[in-house]
Amino acid sequence: MRASDRAYAALRQDIVDWKLPPGTVLGEVEQSERLGVSRTPLREALSRLSADGLAAPHSGRGVVVTGISLDTVAELFELRQALECKSAALAAVRGQASVFHGLVSRFRSAGSLISTDDRQNRSRYYELVAELDSAIDAAAANSYLTQALGNVRLHLARVRRLAKDNPERLLETAGEHATIAAAVASGDPDLASASVSVHLHKSLEHLRSARIASPDSTIPEKRTTP
């Protein structure tokens, strides 16, 4: 792996995991030393983060990690609905029902992964969600659509932090994902699209209510890395 690729991967993961929260200034000198790379590959990595929308130019000291607000989340969900509903509809027409029937069963028994505070089990649940996404992408068989969804999902990984991994909501999402998988397996594109739309609506409403319930969880404007 090239130094710039390694730096990009590390910074992207730290941003997604909120180890580098919104407002953090990613100074070239500090990040070069922290990641053990020279400033040239570090600049390439920062440029890629900016292209992803995870960072934005910051005068004098590299770039700053972009913020997340309810307004930006709502915009993200508008794009997500257009892309994911279309992808699910295509998957219903083009996919193999057996693949999605198997996912239905796994989501219906996913409660054990959610009902405890075990981080490893939570990670397995998110891996199952990613598996459904991948199955829909593969069945839809549209590389442009998959590429566009890849960027959306990158930002969604950050947004999950706002939802605070609420177990009750995660149990609801398991049922919603089972419904999506079943709709795709049915071969009905309208039903598949509608099931995704319902899930996205509930997810956005939960994010809104979570932020209203925790008004003290504000996001800092700027922050420097230690």
Side-chain angles (χ1 to χ4, degrees):
M1 183 181 290
R2 295 187 310 153
S4 61
D5 293 335
R6 188 171 67 253
Y8 168 73
L11 287 168
R12 184 180 68 175
Q13 193 61 51
D14 284 348
I15 291 171
V16 168
D17 290 341
W18 286 60
K19 293 177 181 177
L20 295 173
T24 301
V25 176
L26 304 178
E28 290 184 5
V29 174
E30 296 91 338
Q31 295 304 318
S32 292
E33 293 177 353
R34 185 175 78 92
L35 299 174
V37 298
S38 65
R39 294 178 68 176
T40 297
L42 191 278
R43 288 192 192 104
E44 292 180 21
L46 294 179
S47 178
R48 290 174 66 183
L49 291 172
S50 296
D52 288 338
L54 295 176
H58 180 72
S59 62
R61 297 194 63 204
V63 301
V64 62
V65 178
T66 52
I68 296 176
S69 69
L70 283 177
D71 289 338
T72 57
V73 169
E75 291 177 2
L76 181 62
F77 269 70
E78 288 174 353
L79 177 58
R80 186 184 181 191
Q81 177 151 350
L83 297 175
E84 290 198 5
C85 286
K86 182 61 177 179
S87 187
L90 290 174
V93 174
R94 301 171 179 174
Q96 294 183 351
S98 59
V99 172
F100 294 96
H101 282 309
L103 287 165
V104 171
S105 298
R106 293 169 64 191
F107 273 110
R108 286 177 176 168
S109 61
S112 61
L113 301 177
I114 299 168
S115 57
T116 70
D117 291 328
D118 190 315
R119 289 187 177 182
Q120 189 172 5
N121 279 343
R122 291 286 175 85
S123 294
R124 287 172 182 161
Y125 175 69
Y126 287 127
E127 287 170 5
L128 179 58
V129 174
E131 192 173 334
L132 174 61
D133 289 339
S134 296
I136 291 175
D137 289 346
N142 185 311
S143 60
Y144 294 104
L145 190 54
T146 298
Q147 183 178 8
L149 278 167
N151 183 260
V152 170
R153 289 169 184 154
L154 178 61
H155 289 277
L156 287 172
R158 296 177 74 199
V159 170
R160 282 199 190 108
R161 174 68 175 265
L162 300 179
K164 302 183 184 298
D165 278 347
N166 183 291
E168 187 175 319
R169 175 56 194 153
L170 287 176
L171 285 171
E172 290 179 354
T173 67
E176 291 161 18
H177 284 121
T179 299
I180 292 170
V184 173
S186 75
D188 185 333
D190 292 332
L191 181 61
S193 177
S195 64
V196 170
S197 183
V198 169
H199 166 62
L200 296 184
H201 172 74
K202 290 184 176 181
S203 295
L204 181 56
E205 287 306 303
H206 172 69
L207 284 168
R208 284 173 170 156
S209 63
R211 294 299 286 170
I212 291 171
S214 304
D216 59 326
S217 56
T218 54
I219 297 171
E221 288 293 323
K222 294 179 183 178
R223 174 173 169 170
T224 57
T225 53

